[in-house]
Amino acid sequence: MACVLEAPLRMSVLSEVTASSRHYVDRLFDLDPQKVLQGVIDMKNAVIGNNKQKANLIVLGAVPRLLYLLQQETSSTELRTECAVVLGSLAMGTENNVKSLLDCHIIPALLQGLLLPDLKFIEACLRCLRTIFISPVTPEDLLYTGPDHQTILFNHGAVQNIAHLLVSTSYKVRMQALKCFSVLAFENPQVSMTLVNVSVDGELLPQIFVKMLQRDKPIEMQLTSAKCLTSMCRAGAIRTDDSCIVLKTLPCLVRMCSKERLLEERVEGAETLAYLIETDVELQRIASITDHLIVMLADYFKYPSSVSAITDIKRLDHDLKHAHELRQAAFKLYASLGANDEDIRKKIIETENMMDRIVNGLSESSIKVRLAAVRCLHSLSRSVQQLRTSFQDHAVWKPLMKVLQNAPNEILVVASSTLCNLLLEFSPSKEPILESGAIELLCSLTQSENLALRVNGIWALMNMAFQAEQKIKSDILRGLSTEQLFQLLSDSDVNVLMKTLGLLRNLLSTRPHIDHIMSTHGKQIMQAVTLILEGEHNIEVKEQTLCILANIADGTTAKELIMTNDDILQKIKYYMSHSNAKLQLAAMFCISNLIWNEEEGSQERQDKLRDMGIVDILHKLSQSSDPNLCDKAKTALQQYLA
């Protein structure tokens, strides 16, 4: 019997609760403006710290009415302000409250409210907006995010209006102004170039930021100032060798990486430093010898720390929360430090268990950590020495190949770049990578819609084909298919085209290989060559194409594919007289290989080319002021005289 009564009992309790709240909502519809105002004030007092009351009022439809009153021009400023305060209080409840407010289109209404001249009302709207935007359920794109929005704020005088707040007597105001600049300047050259010349009370902003970096300032202020100066430096507004970067910003960020700092500060410090030094060799060298940074970063991998007592549970929870971020930040900074200098890479790899940590990082559940680990590996893979030693000892190609099997594009791009380095001819990893099905994987990358993946796929195949066995070359051609090869040769991106030509050039090297490949794919390759030489391409593309022809001309049987193709011969002749010396030289290599005396059929080839006027051009080129052209022409003419 009790079970039957349970539902109605709950219903009556809920009805009671909502009924007790209903009179608050009813008063919002009173015809007397004064009573409406008092009703809103009473509602404000009723919801403070009372989540149940907030939920009831939302269910009863208070939000649309409050927003209506807030936007009505006939509402008094006091009423509008009180409505904004109540809405802000409702937003401080649960995430469901925020969702309900968003569903009622609260943000446009509050933004519109900022145009009114009353400061109290503006402040109430801003407080409410802030509460809504710090909620995780609020989509970021509802407010300004991204370069376009930075520019809009910039064009509306944000820099000038915020600058004077940096010298406010209130620490909170100074901090918010500083944070605003760090966001405005991030990856935005226009803002950064302006900031450098803005002055407040006769002092330029960079000088103000440097003062805020000093050790006696709060850590939050030091970090945010360093972020501002870092953005300005990366945008080219401040030189990388400026003392405010080398002697102030960089040391400050290294300090933030030390054990004494909170985990959150260490993460932010390392990530900002990684960004600051990412493209500058000298800053990388300075950072690597500042405060034992390389060794200091190893500590980032030691979280969560082992706990012995139950009292440490809170700390464990905190450590766990930041462990991923710490590893990600350390990998990013190691990647930046080792981007160029061989000695720094060696120091990084010699840091305790470094290669094991990278290998473990490649299989972490967190995508951000995996990406940072791959970036770190990519940076270190630029070292010839490490490719031959540490990379081989730890078989890093295995987890790397695993990453390449199934990963988001962002990770695939960096992982495939790393694979390109592991496939260089001096790398011991090249053979096992081939055996693990890399050709199929790389051929599939060349079909990607993502440009960087297409470039990396073809680049890796190019490295793989260099001085490779005939079987590998045949496997590459089979894996790519003629259709895909043509697709790549007609790609709109010049990098894809150049790497594809590089692949063809590597495939067509050593005579037996040239003859074999041209016997199976000759017709298609000659079509591709014709296509490019006739197209609107730059000098480098045409030079590479002529070099492929020169390789074909070096084959024993393959050269006949050129000799029986009058169209190609005319093109070679045309490029011998071209205005660009590089193209002339490449065309001459073709001719030299075709007329070389010691080879069968050379006499017939020489005669045919003489009839075409090639000898006349060679005589002319033997008088060239370019020593390379002159020497090559004389060598070719000697073949006719021999």
Side-chain angles (χ1 to χ4, degrees):
M1 203 66 173
C3 292
V4 178
L5 289 171
E6 193 178 333
L9 187 67
R10 281 186 181 169
M11 201 66 153
S12 63
V13 170
L14 184 63
S15 304
E16 234 173 81
V17 172
T18 49
S20 70
S21 306
R22 188 175 294 282
H23 74 282
Y24 288 114
V25 180
D26 291 343
R27 289 166 71 189
L28 300 180
F29 292 88
D30 202 295
L31 295 174
D32 182 347
Q34 204 51 43
K35 286 183 180 175
V36 174
L37 174 61
Q38 193 54 50
V40 176
I41 292 169
D42 291 346
M43 185 184 281
K44 175 180 74 176
N45 296 330
V47 296
I48 291 171
N50 189 335
N51 275 350
K52 191 180 278 185
Q53 188 70 280
K54 289 175 186 179
N56 286 339
L57 291 170
I58 288 171
V59 168
L60 290 166
V63 176
R65 184 61 183 172
L66 287 166
L67 284 171
Y68 173 79
L69 294 169
L70 180 135
Q71 293 175 87
Q72 278 300 98
E73 286 181 21
T74 52
S75 296
S76 67
T77 307
E78 189 181 358
L79 174 58
R80 287 173 137 185
T81 305
E82 291 296 347
C83 286
V85 171
V86 175
L87 288 164
S89 189
L90 294 177
M92 282 182 177
T94 63
E95 288 182 0
N96 281 334
N97 290 11
V98 177
K99 282 179 185 170
S100 300
L101 293 170
L102 291 170
D103 290 342
C104 292
H105 307 291
I106 189 172
I107 289 173
L110 292 170
L111 290 173
Q112 200 62 34
L114 301 179
L115 299 174
L116 258 72
D118 188 88
L119 276 177
K120 275 193 175 178
F121 177 59
I122 289 172
E123 189 180 337
C125 289
L126 285 171
R127 282 182 188 280
C128 187
L129 279 167
R130 183 177 182 276
T131 305
I132 290 168
F133 274 104
I134 58 176
S135 168
V137 299
T138 308
E140 282 184 4
D141 57 3
L142 287 174
L143 201 62
Y144 291 158
T145 55
D148 292 347
H149 298 130
Q150 287 173 320
T151 306
I152 290 167
L153 289 168
F154 173 78
N155 290 341
H156 282 80
V159 171
Q160 289 72 18
N161 286 311
I162 296 167
H164 72 279
L165 300 176
L166 286 170
V167 293
S168 165
T169 51
S170 161
Y171 171 75
K172 277 188 175 180
V173 172
R174 290 202 305 279
M175 247 344 283
Q176 292 309 320
L178 195 55
K179 282 180 180 175
C180 206
F181 279 135
S182 88
V183 173
L184 270 176
F186 182 66
E187 292 186 344
N188 194 314
Q190 186 185 19
V191 174
S192 295
M193 291 293 185
T194 304
L195 288 183
V196 119
N197 297 312
V198 172
S199 64
V200 181
D201 294 349
E203 201 166 19
L204 288 169
L205 281 193
Q207 295 170 321
I208 294 172
F209 293 150
V210 167
K211 279 185 179 176
M212 290 174 157
L213 278 179
Q214 289 169 359
R215 289 171 186 255
D216 60 341
K217 295 288 185 288
I219 296 299
E220 180 189 31
M221 184 173 272
Q222 290 185 47
L223 249 177
T224 316
S225 304
K227 284 170 89 169
C228 289
L229 289 161
T230 294
S231 290
M232 291 162 79
C233 178
R234 282 300 304 266
I238 300 175
R239 288 168 55 102
T240 54
D241 58 357
D242 192 296
S243 62
C244 78
I245 298 296
V246 178
L247 303 178
K248 301 290 182 183
T249 310
L250 188 147
C252 169
L253 290 170
V254 173
R255 279 202 309 276
M256 296 302 146
C257 299
S258 72
K259 267 186 179 178
E260 286 69 49
R261 300 271 53 87
L262 296 173
L263 300 188
E264 300 92 313
E265 292 160 358
R266 295 174 80 184
V267 168
E268 206 170 345
E271 293 206 335
T272 308
L273 183 55
Y275 180 55
L276 174 66
I277 68 172
E278 189 179 17
T279 57
D280 191 87
V281 188
E282 199 47 44
L283 287 180
Q284 288 158 12
R285 286 181 183 142
I286 294 166
S288 73
I289 54 167
T290 304
D291 293 350
H292 308 288
L293 177 64
I294 291 174
V295 176
M296 196 195 296
L297 281 177
D299 190 65
Y300 278 47
F301 295 94
K302 294 174 183 174
Y303 293 87
S305 44
S306 55
V307 287
S308 50
I310 197 79
T311 50
D312 280 327
I313 288 297
K314 264 192 178 177
R315 182 181 158 199
L316 174 65
D317 187 51
H318 179 259
D319 286 8
L320 275 168
K321 203 178 285 181
H322 292 286
H324 284 126
E325 293 173 9
L326 282 161
R327 289 197 291 279
Q328 179 192 342
F331 281 138
K332 275 186 183 174
L333 186 43
Y334 276 137
S336 286
L337 283 164
N340 294 287
D341 190 283
E342 190 69 21
D343 291 336
I344 297 174
R345 289 187 198 121
K346 191 169 183 290
K347 280 181 193 168
I348 292 170
I349 285 172
E350 285 170 357
T351 306
E352 55 173 320
N353 307 324
M354 191 60 211
M355 291 308 290
D356 291 331
R357 282 171 177 154
I358 294 173
V359 168
N360 292 336
L362 293 175
S363 55
E364 282 221 19
S365 57
S366 161
I367 283 182
K368 288 183 175 178
V369 177
R370 284 211 307 277
L371 177 59
V374 173
R375 280 198 175 132
C376 184
L377 188 66
H378 179 234
S379 183
L380 299 174
S381 73
R382 294 183 181 128
S383 161
V384 175
Q385 181 58 34
Q386 300 311 327
L387 282 174
R388 285 178 170 156
T389 53
S390 306
F391 275 53
Q392 186 62 10
D393 297 342
H394 291 81
V396 293
W397 63 269
K398 285 183 182 174
L400 186 68
M401 286 298 287
K402 201 173 173 185
V403 167
L404 281 160
Q405 302 299 331
N406 183 22
N409 277 1
E410 199 179 4
I411 291 180
L412 274 180
V413 168
V414 191
S416 53
S417 286
T418 311
L419 192 65
C420 287
N421 292 342
L422 264 64
L423 286 168
L424 290 164
E425 84 280 2
F426 51 73
S427 166
S429 307
K430 186 172 179 177
E431 206 169 308
I433 290 172
L434 276 166
E435 290 164 5
S436 68
I439 291 177
E440 191 182 341
L441 171 79
L442 295 170
C443 288
S444 70
L445 286 184
T446 68
Q447 297 175 32
S448 171
E449 286 182 17
N450 182 295
L451 172 60
L453 287 179
R454 287 205 305 282
V455 171
N456 288 348
I458 202 71
W459 195 342
L461 288 170
M462 182 185 89
N463 287 350
M464 192 183 275
F466 184 74
Q467 294 183 353
E469 298 165 14
Q470 188 172 300
K471 183 189 177 302
I472 292 168
K473 291 181 177 181
S474 298
D475 287 348
I476 291 171
L477 274 171
R478 201 176 302 114
L480 262 187
S481 82
T482 311
E483 191 185 339
Q484 179 58 11
L485 194 62
F486 269 99
Q487 197 74 39
L488 292 164
L489 288 170
S490 54
D491 199 287
S492 58
D493 185 81
V494 73
N495 280 328
V496 174
L497 180 52
M498 282 296 283
K499 294 289 178 282
T500 309
L501 291 170
L503 167 64
L504 269 178
R505 196 172 167 184
N506 285 350
L507 290 170
L508 295 164
S509 62
T510 73
R511 278 185 187 169
H513 296 183
I514 295 167
D515 290 334
H516 175 75
I517 288 170
M518 291 307 287
S519 69
T520 54
H521 294 80
K523 188 182 171 188
Q524 296 92 329
I525 289 171
M526 293 305 283
Q527 275 179 334
V529 166
T530 308
L531 197 76
I532 291 165
L533 290 177
E534 284 177 353
E536 292 293 317
H537 295 291
N538 65 30
I539 299 296
E540 285 71 25
V541 167
K542 297 211 168 180
E543 182 191 15
Q544 187 81 293
T545 309
L546 287 166
C547 288
I548 290 168
L549 271 181
N551 282 13
I552 296 168
D554 194 37
T556 305
T557 55
K559 55 167 54 84
E560 285 311 307
L561 286 163
I562 297 176
M563 290 307 301
T564 54
N565 189 327
D566 288 345
D567 185 24
I568 286 284
L569 288 172
Q570 286 299 333
K571 284 179 171 55
I572 294 170
K573 180 184 174 184
Y574 165 76
Y575 283 109
M576 284 178 76
S577 304
H578 199 275
S579 57
N580 184 282
K582 281 184 177 179
L583 296 183
Q584 287 180 285
L585 203 57
M588 295 253 286
F589 272 108
C590 297
I591 295 298
S592 292
N593 286 344
L594 290 171
I595 62 174
W596 205 252
N597 252 327
E598 294 159 16
E599 290 165 15
E600 196 181 330
S602 61
Q603 191 59 55
E604 290 86 344
R605 290 192 293 276
Q606 285 182 8
D607 292 346
K608 181 170 182 176
L609 294 172
R610 179 189 279 110
D611 293 344
M612 281 178 62
I614 296 293
V615 175
D616 296 338
I617 299 172
L618 287 173
H619 277 298
K620 200 182 290 181
L621 288 171
S622 67
Q623 308 300 315
S624 170
S625 57
D626 184 308
N628 288 331
L629 280 176
C630 179
D631 290 349
K632 198 71 188 163
K634 284 177 180 174
T635 306
L637 284 169
Q638 280 170 4
Q639 297 303 308
Y640 274 94
L641 299 171

